[in-house]
Amino acid sequence: MPRASEIKKSSAIEYEGRVYLVRDIERSVPQGRAGGSLYRMRMYDVVTNAKMDETFKDSDMLSLADLTRRPVTFSYSDGEECVFMDTEDYTPYSLNREAIADELLFIGDDTQGLQVILVSDEPVAVDLPPAVDLDIVDTAPSVKGGSATARTKPATLSTGLVVQVPEHISTGDRIRVNVDERRFLGRA
């Protein structure tokens, strides 16, 4: 059983008899306390998708839920459902669009490295790679000599995500984006 300090985002834990998927973790170190850090976790119930915020001490022991990760590619969107296809055995997995709204900002038609997270053979979430390549559909015109300065401008990507890019990047360029920090890494 791992301690709370060892839990990562997209982990599935069993807590109070239910299985939760950890979506966000904030670490804080209270002033003047002899104890360790506190970890505030935003968790979602895998069955009901109900949100729960809970704070754990770094020494609290948590039990990991039995989950499986399967490599997938984005197949198509059907109303409120997004369908992903297993790349090994071609099993389709449907996920509710609202449940994966944040992840959809990074998923294009050709995004590689996606994994669907299964708990008891039911798809509950999509795990993204650390960086994805996306096309710019709208940004201000590129500035000649813009690579010599550190100024940035907003760029809208093919998925609707807006990130800051250097001035020398133009519409139609394919860029690499860091998923966790939502920032420009370079040209793809």
Side-chain angles (χ1 to χ4, degrees), residues 46-175:
V46 297
V47 177
T48 64
N49 205 33
K51 180 175 76 169
M52 178 180 184
D53 289 336
E54 192 68 39
T55 303
F56 301 99
K57 296 179 192 157
D58 61 354
S59 60
D60 287 347
M61 301 301 274
L62 299 172
S63 71
L64 290 175
D66 183 31
L67 64 85
T68 309
R69 294 174 188 271
R70 299 288 302 168
V72 295
T73 56
F74 177 69
S75 190
Y76 62 92
S77 182
D78 182 23
E80 292 300 311
E81 298 288 315
C82 291
V83 179
F84 295 86
M85 187 72 67
D86 192 311
T87 57
E88 293 172 359
D89 64 9
Y90 306 109
T91 304
Y93 298 108
S94 294
L95 288 158
N96 188 312
R97 178 180 288 280
E98 284 182 27
I100 59 169
D102 288 345
E103 289 86 351
L104 284 175
L105 291 174
F106 298 98
I107 299 174
D109 292 335
D110 58 350
T111 303
Q112 299 296 313
L114 297 174
Q115 292 183 325
V116 70
I117 299 172
L118 304 169
V119 175
S120 303
D121 292 331
E122 286 295 316
V124 294
V126 173
D127 197 18
L128 298 168
V132 295
D133 297 342
L134 296 169
D135 295 318
I136 296 177
V137 294
D138 185 38
T139 189
S142 62
V143 176
K144 190 170 179 76
S147 61
T149 65
R151 293 191 311 228
T152 61
K153 61 185 179 181
T156 304
L157 304 179
S158 56
T159 60
L161 179 68
V162 177
V163 296
Q164 292 293 318
V165 298
E167 288 184 324
H168 64 89
I169 301 294
S170 59
T171 301
D173 286 354
R174 190 163 179 82
I175 63 168

Side-chain angles (χ1 to χ4, degrees), residues 106 129-134 157 161 163 175-186:
F106 298 98
V132 295
D133 297 342
L134 296 169
L157 304 179
L161 179 68
V163 296
I175 63 168
R176 178 156 287 164
V177 178
N178 180 308
V179 171
D180 289 335
E181 299 173 6
R182 293 183 177 215
R183 69 180 180 85
F184 170 83
L185 290 177

